[in-house]
Every structure is written in C-alpha cells, then in structure tokens.
Amino acid sequence: MNQFSQRNDMNVSESAQLQCILSDYSYALDVLDKYDHQLLEIESATEENLFVITYAAAMQAIHGLKDRFGGSALFGNEKDDSFQGSLAAICQTFSGDYLYPSVEEKAAHLLYFVIKNHSFSDGNKRIAAFLFVWFLDKNGILYGKDGRKRIADNALVAFTLMIAESKPEEKEMMVKVIVNLINHHNQ
C-alpha cells in the first residue's frame, strides 16, 4: 500500500470517528448552539409532579445533611425567611396553573433560588445541590430506567457553580440550560 492510500484510509477512519463523536454529542452541541443564539427553550420536560416540596420536608432533609458536613451550628442555619420564599416560588400558580409547570423547571428554579438567595449561614451550594437532586428523586426522574444516575457528580457541581457565578439577568437562561440538560433527552 502506498503512502497516499494509507493517508486516505486514516482520513476515512478519522472521519468515521468524528461522525461517531458528533452523533454521540449532537444534543449537547445543539443546546450550546441554541444558547449562543439565545434560542434555547424548555422542551421534553416532565409535566407530572408527584412530589410537592414543603418547608418541613426540606428542613428535615437539610438537618439530615448536617451530620454529613461536620455538624457545624452554621450549616443549614437560616438567616431569614428567604428559604421559605424560595420554596413557595417554585410552587407558584397563576390562574390555577403552575408558573413553572414541569418538574425540571421547578428543580432548576429551586437550585437557582437557594443558591442566589443565600438563605443559610453556611452550606448554601451544598444544600441547593442536595435539594435539587432530592426533589428530582422524589418526583421519580433522578435515575434512568436502568437505575443509573441521570446527573453525574461533575454535572451537579458544574450546574451549582454555574449558577453561583451567574449574573441575576442571566437567570432565565441558566434555568433553560439546566432544564435542557436534565430533560427526557438525557435519560
């Protein structure tokens, strides 16, 4: 086989590999493209809400985290009533319809509000991330049909830090990004 023929074979192999990668990550690349062009919308989300988060249930879950993180008196200590406001906000209705109709929208807003309202003396990002996945689990969508986590640890950290570092005017886009990364396209 001559050198030209080998180079063409390698290009065909590289092309096939490239097509495989593009196929495997086409949804993620489409989300990024829609983000860049400000065309990202909420789609393929779960309409059936099985679990409505309450203040009492959330605080019980947060107290369960306290020991995991050293039992500090500051961890999960509410600074004001903003946490209750965050929970109420995700369950808001207008004319009998939820303002955030899907489970994914409620979860993304919960993550956003708990981080941005900084309701606790310590642990806001950890509490927000935990409540986010706990809420998804209680609504039956945290794990895929095969029992595997739908949100990898690194994605949960990235979501949390992305929100923490975002500007308030980016809220709606942050929520849309998260919803599109946890919706039915990602099962």
Side-chain angles (χ1 to χ4, degrees), residues 26-53:
S26 66
Y27 181 74
L29 296 170
D30 285 342
V31 168
L32 289 169
D33 183 59
K34 289 175 184 176
Y35 172 86
D36 284 345
H37 294 97
Q38 299 293 298
L39 298 173
L40 197 56
E41 296 296 328
I42 291 174
E43 55 186 44
S44 300
T46 307
E47 295 296 324
E48 184 181 5
N49 291 263
L50 303 174
F51 172 73
V52 177
I53 194 167

Side-chain angles (χ1 to χ4, degrees), residues 49-122:
N49 291 263
L50 303 174
F51 172 73
V52 177
I53 194 167
T54 64
Y55 175 75
M59 288 307 295
Q60 183 177 7
I62 291 166
H63 289 302
L65 284 178
K66 195 172 197 169
D67 290 337
R68 170 70 173 85
F69 293 108
S72 161
L74 296 178
F75 183 87
N77 180 43
E78 290 179 90
K79 296 190 309 188
D80 54 27
D81 292 336
S82 62
F83 180 60
Q84 290 181 47
S86 296
L87 296 177
I90 68 165
C91 296
Q92 266 184 100
T93 60
F94 180 75
S95 297
D97 295 324
Y98 280 117
L99 189 57
Y100 310 121
S102 72
V103 171
E104 292 87 348
E105 287 172 272
K106 286 180 181 72
H109 279 92
L110 177 63
L111 181 65
Y112 187 92
F113 292 145
V114 174
I115 291 169
K116 289 301 200 181
N117 288 344
H118 215 270
S119 303
F120 302 97
S121 300
D122 182 41

